Amino acid sequence: MAQSKNRNSILVGTLGLGALAVGMLAASPILGMVSWPGELASSGRPHVAVGLLGTAVLCLAGGRKWLSGALVALALLLGADVLWTGLVSAQTEARAAISTDQPMARVMFSNVLIHNSDAADLGAWVEAQQPDVLVLTEVTERHVEQLEAVMAGFAHRVLEPRPHALGMVLYSRFPIVEAEVVTLTDDTLSEGGPITVIATLETDVGPLTVAGVHPFPPLMPGSMTARDRQLDSAADHLWLRDGPLVVVGDFNATPWSPALRTFLDELDLHGLNVAATWPVWFDFAGIPIDHALVSENLIITHIETGPNIGSDHRPVMIDVALDQGSPGTP
């Protein structure tokens, strides 16, 4: 009996120490420490915080009081940052928006998934929501052909489909005043590197620039470094743009990623999405890596994550309006 109790105590202690290590990695970006393990752990910061609390209960029941206390303290630190992120999120901003704000545009983004053989579900959601601007990534020539009928109402477009996961297209109901396709870095796949599509549109209430990004996923240390470099490159091209700006994409970064927070700071953007978008089969338990970020002279009046469209990502859609309190806003 004593032997069994001792084994259980060792098991609980080992579990607690393992949870403590994961929690410290998830908290490390808060302390300014950037690392690949820290990036991965912080991607699931809400999940880690909940896991820490659950493990703390087990440790307390197993007599490991000091370990339980350390886990609770770490969970509170992570939880505080998650709470702060929620308070500055697009969801909170949309709930606080005044219903009389004049809409400027409805912008939709979706990672189609290169292996998605049928774009019908995406087309159905586009028809139901009627966006003014649509940006898609992981788009092939086949997807463009499949969506042709649905996109008949989008007279203005920038099409850069690729045979790999870095293809991107932009469809707009508004006239395109200026468009640019920029290769972000020299990182390449089979044909070409990651790009950003930038288009300045003439809306009914003035010009609006919309950009799409899709950097590498941080699956390994090298790809995380490449992702960060690609986001820096995108910021370098976008900060020169005057006027209202919307940047949408599969950022392969959650709101707790230092790289994404740096990107926001460099461009004075806001509107982090905190609703899970990937992987779609995890539903609400997934992580938010798809975002629609806006400049300081815009407000988000509505945000919505879409249904399963046959991709591993959920689409994201926002309505934006001019912030009448911004300097120089008519």
Side-chain angles (χ1 to χ4, degrees):
M1 186 69 153
Q3 224 175 15
S4 175
K5 186 176 180 180
N6 188 50
R7 278 199 303 268
N8 288 339
S9 178
I10 293 173
L11 180 61
V12 168
T14 302
L15 180 63
L17 289 173
L20 189 65
V22 173
M24 290 176 69
L25 283 174
S28 60
I30 299 175
L31 305 175
M33 293 181 284
V34 178
S35 68
W36 178 62
E39 171 80 24
L40 295 185
S42 65
S43 294
R45 189 167 288 171
H47 307 72
V48 173
V50 172
L52 290 174
L53 289 175
T55 308
V57 172
L58 291 176
C59 288
L60 185 62
R64 304 277 185 165
K65 294 182 181 180
W66 70 269
L67 189 51
S68 177
L71 291 170
V72 169
L74 202 48
L76 290 176
L77 174 62
L78 295 176
D81 190 66
V82 170
L83 177 61
W84 176 84
T85 305
L87 290 175
V88 300
S89 69
Q91 282 78 7
T92 297
E93 183 175 340
R95 284 193 292 269
I98 301 172
S99 58
T100 55
D101 287 325
Q102 182 182 3
M104 187 180 198
R106 169 166 286 188
V107 183
M108 182 184 291
F109 166 78
S110 181
N111 180 323
V112 178
L113 183 63
I114 187 172
H115 302 301
N116 185 354
S117 60
D118 188 355
D121 289 339
L122 172 61
W125 203 58
V126 171
E127 289 187 319
Q129 300 299 326
Q130 291 294 302
D132 299 304
V133 187
L134 174 64
V135 179
L136 305 175
T137 59
E138 294 203 26
V139 181
T140 65
E141 292 280 5
R142 183 186 70 248
H143 293 131
V144 173
E145 293 171 3
Q146 291 176 347
L147 290 167
E148 185 57 38
V150 175
M151 299 303 169
F154 295 81
H156 313 280
R157 45 188 75 179
V158 181
L159 304 180
E160 287 289 330
R162 301 275 179 87
H164 52 67
L166 298 180
M168 187 179 298
V169 297
L170 183 149
Y171 296 91
S172 174
R173 299 186 193 275
F174 301 123
I176 297 177
V177 177
E178 180 185 1
E180 185 179 11
V181 178
V182 179
T183 300
L184 295 180
T185 65
D186 57 1
D187 304 297
T188 60
L189 291 179
S190 56
E191 293 180 27
I195 61 174
T196 179
V197 172
I198 308 170
T200 299
L201 317 172
E202 190 58 53
T203 76
D204 297 337
V205 292
L208 172 69
T209 298
V210 177
V213 296
H214 184 202
F216 286 178
L219 299 178
M220 297 296 291
S223 58
M224 186 189 86
T225 300
R227 180 207 61 185
D228 296 353
R229 189 165 61 247
Q230 290 153 17
L231 288 176
D232 285 343
S233 178
D236 288 342
H237 284 90
L238 291 170
W239 78 273
L240 295 172
R241 301 280 169 163
D242 295 324
L245 170 68
V246 177
V247 186
V248 299
D250 169 8
F251 284 79
N252 278 309
T254 68
W256 308 286
S257 168
L260 184 55
R261 291 187 175 184
T262 298
F263 183 80
L264 264 70
D265 290 342
E266 288 178 345
L267 295 173
D268 289 327
L269 301 177
H270 62 280
L272 289 169
N273 168 45
V274 292
T277 58
W278 178 90
V280 68
W281 46 85
F282 279 10
D283 202 12
F284 68 90
I287 58 176
I289 61 175
D290 301 271
H291 305 275
L293 309 171
V294 303
S295 54
E296 291 299 310
N297 42 19
L298 291 174
I299 56 174
I300 296 172
T301 60
H302 177 75
I303 181 169
E304 184 175 344
T305 53
N308 186 343
I309 56 142
S311 173
D312 54 342
H313 293 250
R314 292 186 183 277
V316 174
M317 181 184 72
I318 61 169
D319 294 343
V320 295
L322 286 171
D323 184 354
Q324 300 303 322
S326 296
T329 303

